[in-house]
Amino acid sequence: QSALTQPASVSGSPGQSITISCTGTNNDVGSYNLVSWYQQHPGKAPKLIIYEVIKRPSGVSNRFSGSTSGNTASLTISGLQTEDEADYYCCSYAGSSTHIFGTGTKVTVL
Amino acid sequence: QVHLVQSGAEVKKPGASVKVSCKASGYTFSSYSISWVRQAPGQGLEWLGWISVQNGVTYYAQKLQGRGTMTTDTSTSTAYMELRGLSSDDTAVYYCARNLNDFSASPLDFWGQGTLVAVSS
């Protein structure tokens, strides 16, 4: 099972919006509305920011939003802020009680 | 508040075993399941497996089959992951994480601080 494909890096200026893609197959992203997104700052544990494609946990900024289309999920960060600079990972349920993570995307705020 | 506190860093020789612990607090341990994820140095996240605290059912990533065992101790609210037959490929930070509910498909809403396992001869 290969990792979901994400762009290695995405950058944007403060206040801009950026979108990170996460491409899987019809065995994972394309079959289940069970995609989650995690934010990881250097040296820290990941933090859940989106689950079940579009839901945000309590306390997560509404600047983060998720969507899917076919086998690709997307995370959009609007009103980019310096604290958004981090690594982002998608994760999809892949059936048979297994999960698969994306390759990760480094977000840089210019 | 929810806390998951993991055991300290380990250095192991190839072929050895390691057992990482994850002590939970701030919630009813048996009401949520636990997953394990690892991250090799400079690499991405890798899902390793899931355990239901309620009934001990486990699911493992294919590459862990036969080498890994996940358990829980409800008397101490602690989860454990043991990995046997270590190789340099197992060098990573290992994370425990609480699932949002007791379903294996649920996301990971709280994470431990991570435990570095280094395998070196």
Side-chain angles (χ1 to χ4, degrees):
Chain A
Q1 225 174 12
S2 298
L4 307 175
T5 301
Q6 298 181 232
S9 61
V10 174
S11 61
S13 300
Q16 285 186 330
S17 292
I18 61 170
T19 297
I20 302 168
S21 61
C22 167
T23 302
T25 70
N26 53 17
N27 292 321
D28 37 65
V29 175
S31 288
Y32 307 97
N33 286 324
L34 293 172
V35 174
S36 50
W37 289 88
Y38 299 88
Q39 176 193 61
Q40 186 180 34
H41 286 106
K44 301 293 188 182
K47 173 188 175 184
L48 179 68
I49 56 173
I50 294 287
Y51 67 101
E52 292 174 12
V53 179
I54 60 171
K55 297 179 180 179
R56 275 187 311 274
S58 173
V60 172
S61 171
N62 59 8
R63 297 186 299 103
F64 295 95
S65 61
S67 63
T68 59
S69 178
N71 295 336
T72 298
S74 298
L75 172 72
T76 296
I77 309 175
S78 57
L80 200 60
Q81 298 180 1
T82 53
E83 60 259 36
D84 299 333
E85 190 160 289
D87 293 327
Y88 291 82
Y89 293 92
C90 60
C91 181
S92 176
Y93 182 68
S96 302
S97 295
T98 64
H99 294 251
I100 184 166
F101 279 96
T103 50
T105 298
K106 181 177 180 62
V107 168
T108 301
V109 181
L110 301 172
Chain B
Q1 62 275 43
V2 175
H3 283 299
L4 298 173
V5 179
Q6 299 183 222
S7 48
E10 305 258 16
V11 179
K12 296 292 183 181
K13 300 273 189 213
S17 299
V18 69
K19 192 170 186 177
V20 178
S21 68
C22 169
K23 184 170 176 59
S25 62
Y27 70 97
T28 301
F29 186 59
S30 57
S31 296
Y32 299 81
S33 48
I34 294 284
S35 292
W36 290 86
V37 174
R38 73 181 177 183
Q39 186 170 35
Q43 303 299 309
L45 302 173
E46 178 183 15
W47 182 82
L48 295 178
W50 171 92
I51 181 167
S52 167
V53 176
Q54 284 187 5
N55 57 29
V57 171
T58 54
Y59 297 107
Y60 299 108
Q62 194 159 10
K63 71 189 303 185
L64 219 66
Q65 295 280 358
R67 285 205 303 133
T69 302
M70 294 172 189
T71 57
T72 62
D73 181 344
T74 54
S75 69
T76 59
S77 298
T78 302
Y80 299 92
M81 190 197 66
E82 182 179 27
L83 192 57
R84 300 173 294 278
L86 293 168
S87 72
S88 58
D89 288 345
D90 295 313
T91 293
V93 174
Y94 287 75
Y95 292 101
C96 64
R98 190 186 81 163
N99 285 76
L100 195 62
N101 52 49
D102 194 42
F103 291 102
S104 59
S106 60
L108 310 177
D109 62 350
F110 286 95
W111 294 62
Q113 83 277 18
T115 296
L116 174 64
V117 175
V119 183
S120 174
S121 54

